[in-house]
Amino acid sequence: LDWAPSAASDIELYRVYRSIPGGAYSQIDSTTSSFDLDETATSGQQYLYYVKALDDDGNLSAASNIVVGLWGGD
């Protein structure tokens, strides 16, 4: 996954959230970069993702647009 970094200068990290279609979202990672690799994805499973930015004061942004990922088989 990659996304455009926030224009705000005080972003501490990004939180990455994932769901399967029809399921609840849960945070799967946090990163200081604008890129993340979902190392727990199951081959052939479709996932939905969004990202939120956390600033130095602990403020969490609104969710990004949701993107769909389908991880291919071997």
Side-chain angles (χ1 to χ4, degrees):
L1 305 167
D2 60 25
W3 54 90
S6 172
S9 62
D10 62 345
I11 297 302
E12 184 175 313
L13 57 85
Y14 298 94
R15 292 183 177 171
V16 181
Y17 298 83
R18 180 182 79 187
S19 172
I20 59 172
Y25 283 89
S26 60
Q27 183 179 335
I28 61 164
D29 206 358
S30 61
T31 180
T32 57
S33 71
S34 60
F35 172 84
D36 195 55
L37 179 62
D38 184 355
E39 296 183 20
T40 63
T42 301
S43 180
Q45 175 66 55
Q46 184 179 55
Y47 294 102
L48 307 172
Y49 297 92
Y50 67 81
V51 176
K52 291 185 177 185
L54 181 71
D55 70 15
D56 292 336
D57 293 325
N59 300 308
L60 197 58
S61 74
S64 68
N65 292 333
I66 295 172
V67 295
V68 178
L70 176 62
W71 305 114
D74 295 90

